[in-house]
Amino acid sequence: MYPENFRYTKEHEWVLVEAGIGTIGITDHAQQELGDIVYVDLPKVGAAVDQGKSLGSVESVKAVSDVYSPVSGEVIEVNHALSEAPEKLNQDPHGDAWLVKVRLTAPGEISNLLSAAEYQSYIGAEK
Amino acid sequence: MRYLPKSDAERRQMLEACGVASAEELFSHLPDEVRLKRPLDLPAGISEYEIVQYFRDCGAASAAGYTGFLGAGVYAHYRPVLVDTVVSRGEYLTSYTPYQAEISQGTLTTIFEFQSMICQLTGMDVANASMYDGSTAVPEAAMMAARATGRGGVLVARSVHPEYREVLATYARYQGMPLAEFGYHPETGALDLEDLERQINDLTAAVIIQSPNFFGVVDQVRAAAEIAHRRGALLIVVFTEAVSLGILEPSAAADIVAGELQSFAISPSYGGPFAGIIATREKFIRQMPGRLVGETKDSRGNRAFCLTLSTREQHIRREKATSNICTNQALIALMATVFMTVYGKQGLRELAEQNLAKAHYLAGKLPLRFSGPFFNEFVARVEDPDGLNKALLKKKIIGGLPLGRFYPELKDAMLLCATEMAPRKEMDVLAEVFSSAGVPSRLVFS
Amino acid sequence: MSIQKVRAHISQNEALLFERSSPGKRGYQLPGLDVPPVDPAAALGAENVRVEIEGFPEVSEVEAIRHFTRLSTWNYAIDYGMYPLGSCTMKYNPRVNELVARTEGLAWAHPYQPEALSQGAMEVMARLEAALLEITGMDAVTLQPAAGAHGELTGILLVRACLEKRGNPRKKILIPDSAHGTNPATAAIAGYAVENIRSSERGTLDLAALEQAVTEEVAALMVTNPNTLGVFEENIARVSELLHRKGAMLYMDGANMNALVGITRPGDFGVDVMHLNLHKTFSTPHGGGGPGGGPVAVKKVLEPFLPVPRLKRAGKKWTWNYKRPDSIGRVRAFYGNFGVLVRALAYILAHGGEGLRNATLDAVLNANYLRKKLEPYFDLPYPLPNMHEVVFSDDRQSRRGVRTGDIAKRLIDYGFHPYTVSFPLIVHGALMIEPTETEGKLELDQFADALVSIAAEVESDPDLVKSAPHSTRTSRVDEVTAARRPVVRWKPASTGSQAAG
């Protein structure tokens, strides 16, 4: 369910770091809690994001949820397909429906994040 | 009491079911020191007949029987009978905000039609389900522009309704929103575009103008838009006289239109309740305040409507909402919807043409202060506006609004309005009184 | 159990106005023009004259009235039956109020007409002001705000202006987690940061937590009393003292004033500023979502800051006073939603002092009666004595996969408008029920029976409840598609709305 090569936050984001680039998304657990996602608000390319700070938000019909960046860096790509089809976040949150790609400025931050096993036990306890 | 439906016997049964001897006991948990230990000092309840009589007396101590030439944001237009027929239906009058879509399709459908007609009238892509009134729509539009541009400054024309500007100042002051005013041209009464050029800067989020403006002048929307857009600001166009939309080219260059619909079958009612609107371009839809109704389908595949994009609103986003506004002015917006339906495409045009003709007939007999084109309001010059109005009152005519109160430089001028309800006879009388009062010998600006 | 209150009847289909429209139809006739016509292009400039209002409807008078009448039958309304939306106070709207609001001299009064010709309208406002002061125990009131949320904004701006005058507007507004969403939204618009305060386990203000939270940075605490659980804040006077000791103020959201009128007065339990919802407590109609009225009442200390203009007695006449240097300014044009004020005064006159108090007694009796009848079937997470409303949770039903929203929809099949769903947020799966005083025993019994019957259905056939309503002409609507691909205006056939079936 939760890929081993991702790192996770307690706010239910994931990041996959490859060659200094972090791909960020929300977890399957997050999309389930939110229900049908109707809108995604994302930063612009070039924006600076900080670990633990909001980088955007996702909305269902009756809730808005901030997305907190798992890493610090500069946004280099935004998944525009989500603005046309936000439902993808419900269908493939760990794959096609990534939110942004970020060039990391503090790669060491990764060590603050949860592993797949830790995240799974965290959401297990939350329930 | 006639609004309380229970018999004493029923009340006793219910008290018994609650296990108390009296309703008072249900309040026994209230701390004694906060209890009111005397009856409210209000007169005993009165009958329906006495209530009607009381308000009839209040109404008699008023301007009933006078012919008026006041406009200035509140206009005397005929109200088709159908309007009150429709809004008196309990299904519209005594229902709540349509959260439960399955049993609110009546209200939802009429709001959808309202939004659509406001778009058609203003030339905008989207319109909300209404705001409190025009005056509060203006600061809401300004805050919306600030969100959309990421800037804070607001430049408002002095030819925007003075009370609207006062409301804007109240909102702006406590939000730390820098607010400045720019002038009007002393001869035409239209915008002083040079002053706008001088004052606009790269921190300006919005330029706010009104057309027809407070002096009745059809203003230079395109030119203002060009200046605003060149500096990356949004143009907010305000209207107070909705009937003008029947004949005037919509402000296509505007980014946000904020207006007042009182002219659409809403009684002057000493200033309210009215209904405001905010309309805008598609790309700003998520920055809009207020309720929005959208089209969708029900589970059987039939067309249905529901409140939508609610995540902008206070009940979900709380302190991050686009506005704290909760209700719209649904019943008042419905009045406007019925009005627009009754007049329709041809009728609104004809109505506007009648207003144009009446105002130009009256203006033709009076000395005008400004040379700009006008719809159904204009500024006339008169040495002593208050004295003139006193003379008119003796003839059962309420004259125009003396402008000195809002514009010290225009204390020898008054704003007059003639709608389709202005009788020619009284216009002639007004002109006669005017000519005997004399024209001021001095022009402030010439 | 059989459904006693309703059975199905046929409702008319109706297309949108734009689909009913055809060129040349008209529902109006203007009087003959008694002055020469004017050429629009000559008067306004050809570039300023529009060609047409594209898409605007053209229908006959008969079609117009059928259109709006048919649509009206798709609504539920108080006139059909109980409308127990918690916090909304959906009570009967007396029709005489509608009649008197249309009194010619009042309905056609222009706000700029001479004061000498406005004495009747001003008398109405003055009399309403006096009545509201007696009811609230406050010192001064402005009738200018257009609605409850607008009143909140006005009230918080008054606090801000007063504190500013004292030298420091401060930074924060404290808001309990049980509050209406308008409270934090208002605080933000007034330029304040919001600090949420957790309610105690009993569901009331937590004095110890407050003691910690009230610092020199706090401008005010916004409290709803009784709170959104329908529970009277028994420590309210001590909370007020605590705030005052630190130079902060107590704001009361008057949404639930229907539980207090004639029994206790905010002015007597330490409130500095509050708003009233005339469309709730004083029965001016909700009208499908407005217009409302949101008068703000204050203690003397805030009076200098009230919006301009203020009503003032000058000899035998009423006059408008604009000379108030400390005023926050205007919060709307003119003097307020006057037509709503007329209705509220008519309501107060009809009841009189004793009648208003009796209305409160009946409102609280009705809520307690429903609580007694429903307590065996639904969880009551906060069992303190309640006043005008009662809040259950769906804990028991959610074990069968049925949530408060489903139960609400099933109530529609039983002929009732749902209660308030999922609010306050401190109750998991809230059913917030406010019957108001204008429901009789039969209606209350049928409502309780309906909920008891639904509770049984949750056990025997949860899917029946989850797919409700079954009897309405519109079934559950797809709010997700509406939000994903917003269609918020009609467009001609191929691009937008399809003709009704």
Side-chain angles (χ1 to χ4, degrees):
Chain A
M1 176 84 261
Y2 292 95
E4 294 291 333
N5 53 342
F6 288 11
R7 287 293 174 270
Y8 300 87
T9 68
K10 288 186 175 175
E11 288 77 34
H12 313 291
E13 293 87 14
W14 57 262
V15 60
L16 170 64
V17 179
E18 291 167 315
I21 306 296
T23 303
I24 296 171
I26 63 168
T27 66
D28 185 62
H29 175 77
Q31 71 80 15
Q32 277 184 32
E33 285 290 299
L34 272 162
D36 293 313
I37 289 165
V38 298
Y39 183 67
V40 183
D41 186 25
L42 296 175
K44 291 199 170 78
V45 169
V49 297
D50 294 317
Q51 187 179 46
K53 297 274 165 61
S54 171
L55 65 74
S57 60
V58 290
E59 298 183 10
S60 63
V61 171
K62 293 200 167 85
V64 189
S65 190
D66 275 314
V67 177
Y68 298 98
S69 188
V71 292
S72 303
E74 183 197 340
V75 177
I76 57 166
E77 202 180 335
V78 173
N79 190 353
H80 290 296
L82 295 180
S83 52
E84 288 301 304
E87 56 271 25
K88 282 188 173 178
L89 261 171
N90 292 116
Q91 293 153 4
D92 192 10
H94 296 165
D96 261 1
W98 56 275
L99 301 176
V100 293
K101 295 192 181 185
V102 167
R103 179 174 294 115
L104 268 57
T105 49
E109 287 172 346
I110 301 294
S111 59
N112 307 333
L113 302 175
L114 306 177
S115 69
E118 286 166 337
Y119 179 68
Q120 258 171 310
S121 75
Y122 171 70
I123 56 176
E126 206 181 36
K127 274 175 187 165
Chain B
M1 205 287 148
R2 60 190 180 278
Y3 305 153
L4 301 179
K6 278 185 281 292
S7 70
D8 285 342
E10 285 172 330
R11 228 173 246 122
R12 272 195 303 277
Q13 286 171 31
M14 290 173 60
L15 287 166
E16 207 167 293
C18 291
V20 292
S22 72
E24 301 285 343
E25 258 184 62
L26 297 169
F27 297 85
S28 56
H29 61 287
L30 263 60
D32 188 58
E33 73 269 18
V34 306
R35 294 291 299 263
L36 181 66
K37 298 192 181 74
R38 60 169 176 81
L40 284 174
D41 185 16
L42 294 171
I46 57 175
S47 68
E48 191 172 293
Y49 172 77
E50 292 163 296
I51 292 171
V52 173
Q53 207 51 51
Y54 170 73
F55 286 102
R56 203 167 278 167
D57 291 346
C58 289
S62 75
Y66 285 73
T67 303
F69 291 93
L70 284 167
V74 181
Y75 304 91
H77 291 292
Y78 178 71
R79 302 181 66 236
V81 169
L82 229 55
V83 172
D84 275 348
T85 307
V86 170
V87 301
S88 298
R89 286 191 67 90
E91 294 92 337
Y92 293 123
L93 185 75
T94 75
S95 52
Y96 188 65
T97 304
Y99 285 121
Q100 297 290 343
E102 296 88 346
I103 46 171
S104 309
Q105 286 296 309
T107 295
L108 288 162
T109 307
T110 61
I111 293 176
F112 184 80
E113 292 177 332
F114 171 84
Q115 291 173 182
S116 303
M117 284 194 270
I118 297 302
C119 289
Q120 291 162 351
L121 276 177
T122 58
M124 293 285 112
D125 302 326
V126 292
N128 69 9
S130 72
M131 307 295 291
Y132 301 138
D133 71 342
S135 75
T136 52
V138 171
E140 292 280 1
M143 292 188 278
M144 184 181 152
R147 286 191 296 273
T149 59
R151 300 174 175 189
V154 173
L155 257 180
V156 60
R158 286 190 72 219
S159 49
V160 170
H161 195 298
E163 296 201 16
Y164 288 24
R165 282 183 284 128
E166 288 177 38
V167 176
L168 178 64
T170 304
Y171 277 69
R173 180 172 151 205
Y174 295 103
Q175 296 218 2
M177 179 184 265
L179 175 67
E181 296 189 337
F182 66 102
Y184 58 89
H185 192 283
E187 277 154 32
T188 63
L191 295 172
D192 181 347
L193 293 169
E194 285 173 20
D195 194 22
L196 172 58
E197 286 270 22
R198 262 193 305 278
Q199 295 201 49
I200 193 169
N201 60 45
D202 294 339
L203 302 175
T204 308
V207 173
I208 306 179
I209 67 169
Q210 179 179 322
S211 184
N213 69 23
F214 188 66
F215 308 128
V217 173
V218 177
D219 224 318
Q220 297 159 281
V221 178
R222 263 169 295 218
E226 202 272 318
I227 296 170
H229 292 160
R230 200 169 353 109
R231 300 301 290 267
L234 302 190
L235 181 72
I236 298 172
V237 178
V238 179
F239 66 84
T240 59
E241 172 45 296
V243 169
S244 71
L245 298 171
I247 198 165
L248 289 176
E249 181 69 12
S251 310
D255 299 289
I256 304 171
V257 174
E260 168 60 63
L261 297 183
Q262 181 273 327
S263 286
F264 287 177
I266 301 163
S267 308
S269 197
Y270 207 47
F274 298 162
I277 60 109
I278 285 188
T280 188
R281 298 165 185 275
E282 185 98 50
K283 62 179 171 184
F284 299 130
I285 188 170
R286 285 175 187 276
Q287 304 301 337
M288 276 184 118
R291 305 247 192 257
L292 264 175
V293 168
E295 183 187 323
T296 184
K297 286 188 163 44
D298 73 4
S299 61
R300 300 182 198 122
N302 291 318
R303 176 168 64 190
F305 299 95
C306 64
L307 291 171
T308 193
L309 304 185
S310 314
T311 47
R312 298 165 298 116
E313 295 182 59
Q314 47 76 27
H315 60 285
I316 293 175
R317 209 176 279 252
R318 299 175 82 87
E319 65 267 29
K320 291 179 187 161
T322 54
S323 164
N324 75 333
I325 193 167
C326 184
T327 55
N328 54 18
Q329 298 278 296
L331 200 71
I332 308 290
L334 179 59
M335 289 183 184
T337 305
V338 178
F339 175 93
M340 290 189 277
T341 305
V342 168
Y343 277 101
K345 188 188 245 183
Q346 297 308 318
L348 196 56
R349 172 67 174 229
E350 269 183 51
L351 181 65
E353 286 181 1
Q354 283 213 357
N355 275 258
L356 189 72
K358 294 273 190 170
H360 281 255
Y361 175 80
L362 179 61
K365 294 170 172 285
L366 306 179
L368 298 191
R369 176 63 185 76
F370 296 119
S371 62
F374 62 92
F375 173 59
N376 67 358
E377 276 184 285
F378 57 88
V379 176
R381 286 187 286 120
V382 54
E383 186 82 67
D384 173 14
D386 292 319
L388 180 89
N389 276 342
K390 278 200 188 104
L392 286 168
L393 283 176
K394 291 191 187 120
K395 300 188 182 289
K396 287 257 172 191
I397 290 175
I398 297 174
L401 177 71
L403 287 177
R405 172 178 161 192
F406 296 118
Y407 301 89
E409 71 276 19
L410 295 176
K411 58 179 180 294
D412 56 356
M414 68 161 59
L415 179 65
L416 288 147
C417 174
T419 70
E420 80 282 4
M421 307 254 287
R424 179 173 180 154
K425 192 170 135 261
E426 275 73 16
M427 290 199 279
D428 290 340
V429 173
L430 186 144
E432 273 167 38
V433 175
F434 237 90
S435 62
S436 59
V439 177
S441 50
R442 169 185 70 88
L443 283 182
V444 173
F445 285 103
S446 56
Chain C
M1 197 196 96
S2 68
I3 295 174
Q4 298 160 17
K5 194 178 171 232
V6 283
R7 68 174 174 225
H9 74 110
I10 289 169
S11 68
Q12 304 282 321
N13 288 333
E14 178 65 11
L16 294 177
L17 278 171
F18 315 104
E19 296 155 352
R20 280 200 150 265
S21 171
S22 53
K25 285 195 179 183
R26 51 163 64 196
Y28 73 97
Q29 184 184 350
L30 286 164
L33 190 58
D34 62 359
V35 298
V38 168
D39 173 23
L44 299 167
E47 73 283 5
N48 287 324
V49 178
R50 77 190 299 162
V51 179
E52 62 160 356
I53 311 169
E54 206 186 330
F56 222 56
E58 293 175 82
V59 299
S60 66
E61 179 168 333
V62 179
E63 287 163 315
I65 193 153
R66 284 202 180 140
H67 177 75
F68 292 106
T69 304
R70 287 172 179 174
L71 294 188
S72 77
T73 64
W74 303 352
N75 273 2
Y76 187 86
I78 298 175
D79 284 358
Y80 284 124
M82 185 164 157
Y83 212 124
L85 280 172
S87 234
C88 300
T89 313
M90 300 295 288
K91 61 171 79 173
Y92 166 65
N93 304 129
R95 286 314 199 278
V96 67
N97 302 358
E98 297 305 308
L99 181 85
V100 297
R102 288 170 171 81
T103 305
E104 192 198 343
L106 301 176
W108 284 90
H110 191 289
Y112 291 143
Q113 71 190 23
E115 284 177 3
L117 293 179
S118 307
Q119 290 298 306
M122 294 164 96
E123 149 80 15
V124 168
M125 297 180 77
R127 190 149 180 197
L128 180 62
E129 282 194 2
L132 296 180
L133 291 180
E134 170 61 12
I135 289 165
T136 57
M138 305 294 280
D139 298 327
V141 61
T142 173
L143 304 176
Q144 201 176 99
H150 200 218
E152 283 179 34
L153 177 62
T154 306
I156 294 299
L157 291 183
L158 295 171
V159 170
R160 192 176 179 109
C162 177
L163 294 177
E164 245 171 38
K165 179 108 183 168
R166 288 182 192 166
N168 179 3
R170 304 190 169 198
K171 294 200 171 69
K172 283 194 296 201
I173 301 281
L174 304 181
I175 297 176
D177 51 9
S178 57
H180 295 110
T182 48
N183 293 173
T186 294
I189 290 201
Y192 281 112
V194 173
E195 185 172 325
N196 287 301
I197 302 292
R198 283 182 83 104
S199 301
S200 72
E201 277 172 19
R202 291 152 57 84
T204 53
L205 286 170
D206 186 332
L207 267 184
L210 263 180
E211 195 95 42
Q212 293 288 314
V214 182
T215 63
E216 308 284 321
E217 295 211 314
V218 170
L221 167 71
M222 289 179 94
V223 171
T224 307
N225 193 24
N227 66 20
T228 54
L229 296 169
V231 173
F232 189 85
E233 295 285 1
E234 55 189 359
N235 291 321
I236 192 73
R238 286 170 64 195
V239 168
S240 167
E241 282 166 30
L242 169 65
L243 288 159
H244 290 162
R245 243 190 344 263
K246 294 283 176 74
M249 295 196 186
L250 178 58
Y251 184 98
M252 187 177 115
D253 181 328
N256 293 341
M257 194 65 200
N258 210 45
L260 305 184
V261 176
I263 302 288
T264 173
R265 307 194 308 170
D268 297 340
F269 55 72
V271 170
D272 298 297
V273 47
M274 66 178 293
H275 77 265
L276 293 157
N277 300 89
L278 297 181
H279 46 288
K280 296 180 181 177
T281 316
F282 300 97
S283 191
T284 69
H286 281 74
V296 171
V298 296
K299 287 286 173 55
K300 270 201 185 68
V301 60
L302 291 172
E303 194 275 341
F305 306 96
L306 287 172
V308 281
R310 299 275 303 142
L311 263 183
K312 191 174 127 186
R313 195 74 178 166
K316 286 186 174 164
K317 299 262 177 208
W318 291 106
T319 182
W320 288 111
N321 178 16
Y322 292 85
K323 292 195 192 84
R324 295 177 50 85
D326 288 332
S327 167
I328 58 166
R330 282 184 172 283
V331 294
R332 59 155 286 167
F334 316 119
Y335 321 111
N337 278 351
F338 176 75
V340 176
L341 307 178
V342 170
R343 290 168 172 88
L345 180 60
Y347 174 84
I348 291 170
L349 292 176
H351 272 287
E354 195 189 346
L356 288 171
R357 188 171 190 278
N358 287 337
T360 307
L361 297 182
D362 271 4
V364 173
L365 173 60
N366 282 1
N368 277 280
Y369 181 70
L370 284 180
R371 171 174 168 165
K372 266 284 181 287
K373 290 205 136 201
L374 294 171
E375 228 174 332
Y377 306 92
F378 294 89
D379 271 3
L380 190 72
Y382 296 98
L384 286 176
N386 64 279
M387 298 189 78
H388 67 304
E389 65 192 5
V390 57
V391 182
F392 294 100
S393 112
D394 66 7
D395 266 7
R396 224 174 289 181
Q397 289 71 31
S398 63
R399 277 177 235 142
R400 304 284 295 174
V402 177
R403 304 303 314 267
T404 174
D406 303 318
I407 300 167
K409 296 294 187 199
R410 183 62 180 149
L411 259 179
I412 294 171
D413 287 330
Y414 281 80
F416 289 96
H417 193 280
Y419 45 78
T420 293
V421 177
S422 301
F423 186 85
L425 305 176
I426 61 169
V427 173
H428 193 72
L431 296 72
M432 186 195 209
I433 302 169
E434 180 183 4
T436 83
E437 72 277 12
T438 61
E439 296 309 330
K441 184 169 177 298
L442 175 66
E443 192 84 3
L444 295 165
D445 285 339
Q446 288 185 345
F447 178 77
D449 289 348
L451 271 176
V452 170
S453 173
I454 294 167
E457 288 171 353
V458 169
E459 298 304 322
S460 61
D461 187 1
D463 286 337
L464 175 73
V465 181
K466 284 163 78 173
S467 53
H470 303 285
S471 52
T472 47
R473 59 169 286 123
T474 298
S475 57
R476 281 204 196 188
V477 306
D478 180 0
E479 295 182 336
V480 171
T481 302
R484 278 183 182 155
R485 288 165 192 76
V487 177
V488 295
R489 65 176 293 193
W490 178 83
K491 284 183 181 153
S494 59
T495 52
S497 298
Q498 305 299 306

